[in-house]
Amino acid sequence: MNNEKEFKPFISADRVMPEFTVTSIFLGCLLAVIFGAANAYLGLRVGMTVSASIPAAVISMGVMRVILKRESILENNLVQTIGSAGESLAAGAIFTLPAMFIWMKDWGLGSPSLFKIAIIALCGGLLGVLFMIPLRKALIVKEHGVLPYPEGTACAEVLLAGEEGGSKASVVFAGLGIAALYKFIADGLKIFPSEIEWEIPGYHNGAFGMDVLPALLGVGYICGYKISGYMFAGAIVGWIGLIPLFSLFGGDTILYPATVPMSELGFWAIWNNYIRYVGAGAVACGGILSLIKSLPLIVDTFAKAMKDYSNRESSDNSIRTDQDMSMKTVLIGSLLVVIAIGLIPSIPVNFVGALLIAVFGFFFATVSSRLVGLVGSSNNPVSGMAIATLLISTIVLKSTGMVGQEGMMGSIAIGSIICIIAAIAGDASQDLKTGYIVGATPKKQQYGELIGVLISAITIGGVLYLLSAAWGFGSKEIPAPQATLMKLVVEGVMEGNLPWSLIFAGSGIAIAVEIIGIPVLPFAVGLYLPIHLSAGIMVGGVIKLFFEKRKNVSEENRKQQIDRGILYTSGLIAGEGLVGVLLAILAVIKVGDSSLGDIINLSESVQLGQIGALIFFVLLILTLFKFSIWYKEKDKSNAS
């Protein structure tokens, strides 16, 4: 309580500034669409998403201050609040919803409608915001100084250092533009391959490859050397260890799910038929282990949350910085959404499923809201929550007679909504923490979250539909690792037709990795995905390590250079994601007969090959140096 009484926000409660304005809402919605689409593409490609709060805040400051000449920090905060909702909803949706597309294609039923995807995402997003609102005063205000909320606090620091907004925004936009051009040259014009690989001489079916793409460089830099290294280690076990072993000892054995002897399979076929299942077992086990390790914290969190619900003090609505949406609105809104889930035909869930969503959603929203305050959004075990939910909900639906296609679609719908609830509740907590520090109006932020969820739900449906139509989920271009795993979990419970020996082998590897103290999930994701993705991410991690270990640099300059690199690589991720969505649109509308198609066909006659791809990737790396460690030197020379 002392923290609550002593803390003074940057903008005091008695000051009134522009906040919930048409400008901030429009810009926030635009960024929600951009970062939602970019993160959906990134997550479906590499199985990871990145926080959009800081890039959204920086872009907002650049546009607001430099172009529109508006100075309100509260407007900028509302922009990042709405904008980050797009990234979080995308992160929750891509974990599960692509499984619907894969199933319906396999069953000859086409694809789920845009409305079905959008309404499932919207219901999850709305419940995530509404379930979190009653916890704001307890978690954000009363425990200020106890729960750090790392991403929310970092975003507040960026907003408070708003004088640099213009120059920082230019770094994000530079990354976005360079990545967009690079991606279009590589995967649009196909002047050089974005994926390069070599077989290892004298090592049968041993292979190494790398995707030379901006988003992977960005993910590796933002995640850092350790996380990138764990992923790469998992990939090495799979591609340099297990694939050649399968090839060496398999001989004429035909092992399900393959239909030909192992001796006839190349390294990609062995990965597709066997290593993916070993990796899936490792990822599932890793998610469950992370949930088990978090159990004491989860139980404590839920107990405190329930106490806070029951002892909740009414907010003093006369104080601007203490105004929440009314509890009556929250309760009625939550009830209406749960009822709608059970009644809307497009959501393949009956009232038993809606009840499961209400119970699990409420539980994981309260857990997620507090957990991200302690360990950050990046370490929130959403995948573990999703796996646990899917296992229990699939068993319950099966026991009530909801089986087959209906039961599988119902289970994945429940898992989708729970995933989105957990992701959005965590994001709302971080955003409200930022708002608490800068002196925002909580009620306006909460409305902003709801607007961001609405816009993002519409966007995510379109993005998923486009990517499915262009390449298909589970393909080499869009592997959709988490959704493919969730699909396997549901099928395993419903039909029992999984290669359990491979899955248990992966679980054994995950347990061994946990015992020796290595974080399981990044290692398991590396084992599950092709080495090409992890290798590209590893390059970014090594560059970040180099920046961190440079000598003869002051700590202040080092921090500024690394932070500028984070902004630039955030732009790289957004730029590639947006062009990835654009290429999906071009693939769907068949541009081959158009003038643009003629340009693309002409460009394909210019092939630079793998050496050309490496040269372009090195040039891309040099741009990261230019906008980070070399950028300061330029500033100094200008100053002099």
Side-chain angles (χ1 to χ4, degrees):
M1 289 295 289
N2 291 337
N3 288 325
E4 179 186 354
K5 290 177 180 177
E6 293 169 6
F7 180 76
K8 301 291 182 187
F10 181 73
I11 302 298
S12 60
D14 55 354
R15 283 185 64 188
V16 178
M17 296 179 69
E19 184 172 6
F20 197 79
T21 62
V22 173
T23 304
S24 62
I25 293 170
F26 175 78
L27 186 54
C29 289
L30 182 63
L31 292 179
V33 170
I34 291 172
F35 284 109
N39 263 291
Y41 176 82
L42 176 69
L44 291 165
R45 182 79 191 251
V46 303
M48 301 173 70
T49 59
V50 294
S51 174
S53 294
I54 291 176
V58 169
I59 291 173
S60 170
M61 287 189 291
V63 173
M64 290 278 198
R65 290 175 178 273
V66 178
I67 299 175
L68 301 179
K69 308 299 182 187
R70 300 169 75 100
E71 296 291 324
S72 173
I73 190 175
L74 301 187
E75 275 189 306
N76 288 321
N77 178 60
L78 193 81
V79 170
Q80 73 81 18
T81 298
I82 298 173
S84 64
E87 171 265 323
S88 297
L89 190 138
I94 62 168
F95 266 47
T96 46
L97 287 174
M100 288 189 175
F101 287 86
I102 299 171
W103 276 331
M104 291 187 72
K105 182 180 178 182
D106 290 345
W107 298 334
L109 300 176
S111 298
S113 66
L114 283 174
F115 179 76
K116 180 191 288 285
I117 298 300
I119 197 67
I120 289 173
L122 179 61
C123 288
L126 292 176
L127 288 177
V129 176
L130 294 172
F131 284 162
M132 190 275 148
I133 289 171
L135 295 170
R136 185 197 69 86
K137 190 170 179 63
L139 298 181
I140 308 299
V141 180
K142 289 184 179 179
E143 300 208 46
H144 181 69
V146 178
L147 297 175
Y149 285 98
E151 288 91 347
T153 302
C155 188
E157 289 175 359
V158 170
L159 286 169
L160 295 176
E163 296 80 13
E164 301 174 75
S167 64
K168 285 185 175 180
S170 67
V171 173
V172 180
F173 284 122
L176 194 152
I178 289 170
L181 179 63
Y182 184 105
K183 175 74 172 176
F184 189 73
I185 291 172
D187 287 345
L189 301 179
K190 299 187 185 298
I191 289 176
F192 63 88
S194 59
E195 180 179 282
I196 55 179
E197 68 182 22
W198 304 270
E199 292 189 37
I200 300 173
Y203 191 36
H204 183 57
N205 269 346
F208 180 80
M210 180 167 65
D211 282 3
V212 287
L213 286 170
L216 301 183
L217 182 69
V219 168
Y221 185 89
I222 291 171
C223 291
Y225 175 77
K226 282 192 173 181
I227 298 297
S228 302
Y230 297 144
M231 283 191 68
F232 192 49
I236 289 173
V237 168
W239 281 73
I240 310 299
L242 293 181
I243 289 178
L245 279 177
F246 271 85
S247 180
L248 179 63
F249 294 109
D252 294 330
T253 303
I254 300 176
L255 180 65
Y256 178 82
T259 56
V260 297
M262 286 190 204
S263 58
E264 297 180 17
L265 299 176
F267 51 83
W268 273 111
I270 292 176
W271 173 80
N272 187 53
N273 284 289
Y274 303 124
I275 305 305
R276 277 199 317 138
Y277 291 98
V278 175
V283 173
C285 184
I288 293 169
L289 285 174
S290 69
L291 198 62
I292 291 171
K293 287 195 297 182
S294 304
L295 267 181
L297 184 58
I298 288 172
V299 171
D300 182 58
T301 293
F302 194 68
K304 288 182 177 178
M306 290 303 94
K307 185 178 178 182
D308 291 326
Y309 269 114
S310 58
N311 297 333
R312 189 173 180 271
E313 300 169 17
S314 59
S315 297
D316 185 350
N317 287 325
S318 64
I319 302 175
R320 180 184 61 80
T321 54
D322 201 34
Q323 295 174 353
D324 287 303
M325 288 173 61
S326 72
M327 273 301 290
K328 182 178 179 181
T329 302
V330 170
L331 290 171
I332 293 174
S334 301
L335 184 62
L336 288 176
V337 173
V338 172
I339 292 172
I341 290 170
L343 289 178
I344 295 175
S346 292
I347 303 177
V349 172
N350 56 22
F351 276 104
V352 174
L355 184 61
L356 286 171
I357 287 170
V359 173
F360 279 106
F362 176 73
F363 175 73
F364 284 130
T366 55
V367 168
S368 183
S369 297
R370 185 181 179 87
L371 208 55
V372 298
L374 288 167
V375 300
S377 296
S378 303
N379 298 309
N380 192 11
V382 174
S383 61
M385 297 178 190
I387 291 167
T389 302
L390 279 176
L391 285 171
I392 295 171
S393 59
T394 307
I395 291 169
V396 170
L397 292 184
K398 188 176 182 181
S399 65
T400 59
M402 195 173 174
V403 294
Q405 296 180 6
E406 181 189 18
M408 290 160 70
M409 293 288 280
S411 296
I412 214 71
I414 294 170
S416 299
I417 294 174
I418 298 299
C419 254
I420 295 168
I421 288 173
I424 287 290
D427 172 70
S429 303
Q430 299 284 8
D431 290 339
L432 289 169
K433 181 68 169 186
T434 303
Y436 180 66
I437 294 171
V438 302
T441 310
K443 178 168 66 175
K444 292 178 180 178
Q445 274 194 282
Q446 289 153 7
Y447 283 124
E449 287 278 356
L450 294 173
I451 292 171
V453 161
L454 174 62
I455 294 297
S456 305
I458 298 169
T459 303
I460 198 69
V463 170
L464 290 180
Y465 192 89
L466 277 170
L467 295 176
S468 173
W471 299 297
F473 298 119
S475 64
K476 195 174 177 181
E477 291 84 1
I478 305 290
Q482 281 94 347
T484 308
L485 171 64
M486 303 305 169
K487 168 180 169 286
L488 292 176
V489 169
V490 175
E491 288 175 346
V493 175
M494 282 287 183
E495 300 176 351
N497 62 348
L498 289 179
W500 287 106
S501 297
L502 297 174
I503 290 171
F504 286 137
S507 301
I509 292 173
I511 292 169
V513 165
E514 174 67 29
I515 289 171
I516 60 177
I518 295 175
V520 176
L521 275 176
F523 178 91
V525 169
L527 177 59
Y528 181 74
L529 291 171
I531 195 171
H532 307 63
L533 296 170
S534 298
I537 290 170
M538 187 66 194
V539 172
V542 170
I543 293 171
K544 176 80 167 288
L545 180 68
F546 171 72
F547 288 0
E548 290 171 342
K549 299 296 183 182
R550 287 177 72 218
K551 297 180 180 178
N552 303 321
V553 180
S554 70
E555 284 304 313
E556 181 182 356
N557 281 347
R558 189 193 313 277
K559 184 179 186 303
Q560 288 178 352
Q561 291 166 357
I562 290 173
D563 288 350
R564 197 175 286 113
I566 289 174
L567 292 176
Y568 180 71
T569 50
S570 297
L572 291 182
I573 291 167
E576 180 180 332
L578 292 177
V579 173
V581 173
L582 173 64
L583 293 177
I585 295 172
L586 296 178
V588 170
I589 63 176
K590 310 292 185 188
V591 297
D593 298 327
S594 65
S595 56
L596 178 60
D598 294 336
I599 296 173
I600 292 174
N601 292 332
L602 179 64
S603 69
E604 287 180 357
S605 64
V606 182
Q607 292 290 328
L608 299 182
Q610 297 197 151
I611 300 299
L614 281 174
I615 292 171
F616 265 82
F617 196 54
V618 169
L619 292 174
L620 180 69
I621 291 169
L622 291 177
T623 66
L624 173 54
F625 278 72
K626 173 176 172 53
F627 284 97
S628 53
I629 62 173
W630 295 342
Y631 196 90
K632 190 62 179 177
E633 292 169 13
K634 180 181 177 182
D635 289 347
K636 284 180 180 176
S637 64
N638 288 342
S640 60

